[in-house]
Amino acid sequence: PISVSSPEVAEAAKLLENAFRLINIALVNEFTQICSANGINVNEVIDAASSKPYGFMPFRPGVGVGGHCIPVDPMYLAWWAQQKGEKAKFVESADSINRAMPKYVAQRALSMVDASIEKPRVLILGVAYKPGGGDIRETPASDLRHHLEKLGADVAWHDPLVPIWEG
């Protein structure tokens, strides 16, 4: 632990750290879509970029962000900025990108299904917001499921660490 001059500094540090993660996840999620549109394997690109010793921090693409810290806390930063007449443009943009990922993933997944299949069956493996735990707070899997169903898929799920999800 480190000491800071006030609780406000400690809370601002937490907001900065979580906003940093939100923004970098959004960057890689947006970059994933660009790579996909160009037929490039984004994980290969991330691995190559990770080989550089210049402080690159790898983030991996996903369905979105979940939990309390990353999708929620940075929005306090945006609110805090508004209270003083400022804007948190990066945070708001990153939030928008990450919230759009479940729809993008659903569309992309179903685009890989044979068009002759009228009601594709999709299995979501893992509904917790991060590996190794059963926490489903703010999980992007909920929106993924919604978008898959809206696009006509029959959706099932499996997560050995989550015994009950959405009833």
Side-chain angles (χ1 to χ4, degrees), residues 3 5 29 47 67 84 88 120 153:
S3 295
S5 62
N29 282 339
D47 290 344
K84 298 295 182 182

Side-chain angles (χ1 to χ4, degrees), residues 45-117:
V45 173
I46 294 168
D47 290 344
S50 295
S51 70
K52 306 297 181 201
Y54 306 114
F56 179 80
M57 185 178 290
F59 285 79
R60 297 291 169 171
V63 178
V65 294
H68 187 274
C69 295
I70 299 175
V72 177
D73 289 358
M75 300 322 294
Y76 290 130
L77 177 59
W79 173 84
W80 188 34
Q82 281 183 320
Q83 300 310 298
K84 298 295 182 182
E86 298 293 329
K87 284 211 158 266
K89 294 176 190 170
F90 274 128
V91 170
E92 291 171 2
S93 180
D95 180 61
S96 177
I97 291 165
N98 287 328
R99 289 192 187 280
M101 281 305 288
K103 183 176 182 179
Y104 169 77
V105 171
Q107 291 170 335
R108 181 143 184 245
L110 292 179
S111 75
M112 297 178 202
V113 174
D114 186 314
S116 68
I117 299 172

Side-chain angles (χ1 to χ4, degrees), residues 142-159:
S142 295
D143 286 337
L144 174 61
R145 179 176 165 180
H146 167 77
H147 289 295
L148 287 166
E149 289 174 343
K150 191 173 177 182
L151 292 169
D154 179 19
V155 181
W157 66 278
H158 175 74
D159 190 324

